[in-house]
Amino acid sequence: MLLSIAPAPAVAQSGGVPAGAVPTSLSIMTFNIEYGGTVVDLDSILTAVRRADADVVAFNEIYGKVARLGRLTGYDHVSRRLDL
């Protein structure tokens, strides 16, 4: 799943955004690699993540591969504490 977040036009028109503010976007990807990637090919995972080009990627069921996938995909901020 890939999700992009940007300010809604109604918010900008209502005065909720300071004058001169530049709209930005943030793309978030969540990826369930299923059983630590033992069922899914690691190269397929890497290809999907690179193609998505998300700002933030959250992996589910990664089982000990957080640092490795972070390094291989170029995401340098990983939480080993949550590597369950």
Side-chain angles (χ1 to χ4, degrees), residues 4-5 8 15 23 44 67 73 75 78-79:
S4 284
I5 301 172
S44 297
T73 56
Y75 289 91
V78 297
S79 175

Side-chain angles (χ1 to χ4, degrees), residues 3 16-17 26 34-35 48 68 71:
L3 172 69
V17 176
L26 173 69
E34 192 173 12
Y35 305 113
R68 181 177 177 202
R71 186 180 69 255

